[in-house]
Amino acid sequence: MSLYESLEVFVGAGVLALMPAFGRDLPPGAAMSGSEFSAFLRSRGEGGPIGDVLDRLAHQIWLSQDTRGIPMHVAEEHARRLAPVIDACRPDTGLVKAALRGQVQGGLSAAAGQLAAGLMARARDLGLQELTPLSEDVCVFLLEQAFLQILADPRLLRGAAPAAGEFLTQHGKATEPVPAAVPGTGLAVATSTDSEMVALKERYGLSDKALARFSAIAEKQRTLPAREAWQIAELAQWLQDTRQQLLRPTNEPPEVRQMKAKAAEELLNGDFEAAMELLKEVRRSFRSARRRTEQRLEEELEQLRAELHQEALATADVAELAMARLDFQAAAELFEEAAEGTGRTDPAACLRFTLRRADALYYAGEERSDAALLRQSVGVYARAAELAGSNGEVKGLAAASQGLGNALLAIAEHEPSKALYEQACVAFRTALEVLSRETDPRVWGLARIGLGNALASMSEVETASALTLEQAAVAYKGALEVFTREAEPMRWAVTRLNMSTVLIRLGEIEDRRKNWLAAAAAIVPALEVFEAHGAAAQAGAARRSLKMLHSRWDMLEPPAAAE
């Protein structure tokens, strides 16, 4: 026999042995049918509570191997052999009733210990042979745990009582209880004596009307063939607890306290309908007060949001002043604070301040040649791009993407790598996807220059490909459509010089004559601008490029016949 099979015999015997407390006479030998009773409960769909007891008791046995040194096979054998002991030496019915009413000092644990001790004492007095091979310590442990687990679940005994009556009747082992009348109620009770009902009325201060109402409730919700005193005790305890809660001193308005006190009085008198109406009015009062509080809090919260927004705008003004003073790091901290202050209340302002923070970090990194600050700007530009994308801010996305590309190129000046240049290309192309030459010509042109610079620089850290160089040249040519010699001569000249460098390298790969002639044509007017504006460094670079081309002019293929 397995542990669970032995426990089913043992627990089933224990449950049946407690049935006299519920008005069920248990003939000799009936408790020996414990496993059959457990199966009977399962067949009725009522085996859940007794199954829970089996699980908890098995768990305690497993724990006892470590805590008490009781091997599992020993506990299994004792559980199986204790069933006839329980049948012969029934638990004290009065003690069971007192335990169910919560009247045993020390609670259920003390009650379970007393039940086990009393049962073992009666077994010793009777000199039962079943005890001879058993350890008393193991027996007491199993009995205590079984009674504790059974009594701890009120559903088990109350739900099993009707089933026990049917089970015992079917097996020819039952005798019907004799109902007794409860004075003042007109209702029958199976085992409750007049003195028990009088004690309940005195203990809880019940009026006759309240007792009658409880009897009616018990009758409608009963799980037993007849209403018992413990059912009335549960309802009376609820009444007592509810009245104490209603009469508890509070800081509530006087009219609310008066309604609660009146409801407590009506409950005591058994007028539950009047008590319900009073408590509904109490609820309405609290609901109205809660709604007034909510409205006040919402108004205060709205005011707080407005004040935080104004504070954020003022912080942004201070940050712009720090930018004007070239204190870029201080400006970055202030813009961060301003962005946090706007948050979800003003997404556009939050995006604007996040972009300005990224700009400030970028300028600080450029000014100090600090790659760490530049990396911070990359992260903030990326955050700004996310905000712009989620809010559908096209111009914001373009600005964030362009700033991200510039920051990546700046980092690459310190740490050249193909990965950085590729990321910069992606950023500039993202900006160009959302920009329009017609509506944003200057920003569009700057993005073209950035893309050209990223492609040109990428060709310097890896073997240059004709495709990459051609893309760079196309990017520069697009920018020159926006930046003219008349409007922005220096930007126009620098762009032409950068394009000439790309064309020179492209000529080394393919069509030297065409690309070098185009490079020379780009350099000469750029040199004129540099010299006119006193840009010595750029002018020197342009001259060196021209000198290189002249020194290698003999490498050009002769022009085709058509030329």
Side-chain angles (χ1 to χ4, degrees):
M1 185 176 289
S2 67
L3 174 62
Y4 264 86
E5 290 173 333
S6 296
L7 290 180
E8 191 168 37
V9 173
F10 174 55
V11 172
V15 172
L16 286 172
L18 296 177
M19 285 298 108
F22 292 82
R24 291 294 170 190
D25 185 21
L26 199 66
M32 294 293 291
S33 305
S35 60
E36 292 86 349
F37 179 56
S38 179
F40 181 74
L41 289 175
R42 289 197 301 273
S43 69
R44 292 163 56 97
E46 301 173 5
I50 198 168
D52 292 341
V53 170
L54 289 173
D55 289 339
R56 292 194 296 269
L57 187 54
H59 179 68
Q60 290 298 324
I61 290 173
W62 289 328
L63 289 179
S64 72
Q65 293 184 101
D66 298 325
T67 59
R68 295 171 175 261
I70 302 175
M72 190 182 304
H73 71 277
V74 173
E76 174 191 331
E77 181 183 2
H78 279 63
R80 176 170 47 82
R81 290 177 176 271
L82 276 173
V85 176
I86 294 174
D87 182 72
C89 308
R90 306 292 173 77
D92 185 333
T93 300
L95 181 57
V96 173
K97 290 183 178 181
L100 291 172
R101 294 168 186 160
Q103 296 174 343
V104 175
Q105 186 175 3
L108 290 180
S109 296
Q114 294 176 32
L115 287 171
L119 192 147
M120 289 298 295
R122 286 190 292 277
R124 286 193 299 272
D125 292 343
L126 293 173
L128 293 181
Q129 295 182 353
E130 287 84 356
L131 286 180
T132 303
L134 303 181
S135 164
E136 183 168 343
D137 290 342
V138 176
C139 291
V140 170
F141 165 72
L142 290 175
L143 290 168
E144 285 181 349
Q145 290 299 319
F147 289 135
L148 177 60
Q149 300 300 337
I150 294 171
L151 294 173
D153 188 353
R155 300 175 306 160
L156 175 56
L157 292 176
R158 294 168 192 169
E166 294 183 26
F167 173 78
L168 295 172
T169 299
Q170 289 180 14
H171 288 72
K173 299 179 179 180
T175 58
E176 290 298 324
V178 180
V182 179
T185 67
L187 295 178
V189 60
T191 59
S192 300
T193 63
D194 292 351
S195 59
E196 285 179 317
M197 300 308 294
V198 171
L200 281 174
K201 290 182 63 176
E202 293 178 355
R203 178 182 175 188
Y204 294 102
L206 296 177
S207 65
D208 288 341
K209 186 175 180 181
L211 184 60
R213 290 301 299 268
F214 287 158
S215 297
I217 293 171
E219 183 68 19
K220 289 182 180 180
Q221 299 180 347
R222 69 189 184 193
T223 57
L224 298 176
R227 182 260 301 152
E228 296 264 3
W230 58 262
Q231 293 175 291
I232 306 299
E234 283 190 348
L235 293 169
Q237 185 63 54
W238 162 81
L239 177 66
Q240 187 180 77
D241 294 342
T242 303
R243 292 187 69 253
Q244 288 176 353
Q245 190 273 331
L246 291 172
L247 296 173
R248 179 167 47 87
T250 67
N251 294 324
E252 296 161 353
E255 59 273 16
V256 172
R257 294 199 301 271
Q258 291 172 7
M259 285 189 289
K260 284 187 170 183
K262 182 61 175 176
E265 181 181 350
E266 297 295 352
L267 284 175
L268 184 62
N269 294 332
D271 193 345
F272 293 173
E273 288 73 21
M276 177 174 287
E277 292 304 317
L278 287 165
L279 292 179
K280 284 181 178 179
E281 188 60 34
V282 170
R283 183 183 66 170
R284 284 192 287 269
S285 175
F286 281 125
R287 179 174 292 172
S288 298
R290 185 255 300 169
R291 287 174 176 168
R292 291 193 297 271
T293 302
E294 286 177 346
Q295 183 177 0
R296 185 181 72 252
L297 290 176
E298 286 176 1
E299 293 171 355
E300 292 177 354
L301 183 59
E302 188 61 31
Q303 178 64 25
L304 177 61
R305 291 194 186 105
E307 292 172 357
L308 286 172
H309 189 264
Q310 293 301 318
E311 181 184 350
L313 295 179
T315 302
D317 291 339
V318 178
E320 291 292 356
L321 183 58
M323 290 283 279
R325 296 177 60 247
L326 306 183
D327 189 354
F328 299 123
Q329 283 195 281
E333 293 175 1
L334 289 166
F335 279 125
E336 181 181 16
E337 183 181 336
E340 291 176 350
T342 52
R344 298 179 181 177
T345 60
D346 191 347
C350 182
L351 172 60
R352 185 169 68 253
F353 299 150
T354 302
L355 275 171
R356 293 297 284 156
R357 178 191 173 205
D359 291 340
L361 290 168
Y362 171 66
Y363 297 149
E366 283 278 77
E367 181 182 55
R368 302 184 181 187
S369 297
D370 189 331
L373 286 173
L374 291 170
R375 287 193 184 89
Q376 287 186 46
S377 73
V378 165
V380 180
Y381 277 126
R383 170 60 180 157
E386 290 179 5
L387 290 173
S390 62
N391 296 329
E393 294 280 353
V394 175
K395 289 189 176 181
L397 177 58
S401 299
Q402 190 154 336
L404 177 60
N406 291 332
L408 290 166
L409 287 180
I411 296 173
E413 290 180 8
H414 303 280
E415 307 165 5
S417 73
K418 179 183 177 182
L420 286 173
Y421 292 128
E422 287 178 338
Q423 292 172 30
C425 288
V426 172
F428 288 123
R429 286 192 171 111
T430 300
L432 289 168
E433 287 176 1
V434 297
L435 288 170
S436 168
R437 176 184 169 184
E438 289 72 24
T439 57
D440 303 291
R442 179 175 176 76
V443 181
W444 181 85
L446 291 173
R448 301 282 293 189
I449 291 174
L451 178 59
N453 291 340
L455 290 166
S457 299
M458 187 160 55
S459 298
E460 295 176 1
V461 296
E462 65 173 1
T463 302
S465 69
L467 177 61
T468 301
L469 292 169
E470 288 171 357
Q471 290 175 344
V474 170
Y476 286 133
K477 288 176 183 177
L480 290 170
E481 295 174 5
V482 174
F483 299 111
T484 64
R485 182 171 182 172
E486 294 73 20
E488 293 195 48
M490 280 298 296
R491 191 178 300 280
W492 177 83
V494 169
T495 303
R496 290 183 71 89
L497 180 60
N498 289 342
M499 186 176 67
S500 69
T501 302
V502 170
L503 291 170
I504 291 171
R505 297 194 65 195
L506 183 58
E508 294 172 351
I509 299 174
E510 60 181 28
D511 202 344
R512 183 177 294 123
R513 180 181 181 81
K514 172 185 174 182
N515 289 303
W516 282 13
L517 287 174
I523 294 173
V524 172
L527 178 58
E528 294 174 357
V529 172
F530 293 146
E531 290 175 340
H533 286 78
Q538 289 86 347
R543 292 191 192 97
R544 286 192 295 274
S545 295
L546 280 174
K547 183 177 180 180
M548 185 274 295
L549 285 174
H550 290 157
S551 67
R552 302 172 66 185
W553 211 252
D554 57 346
M555 297 175 61
L556 295 179
E557 299 82 354
E563 297 178 5

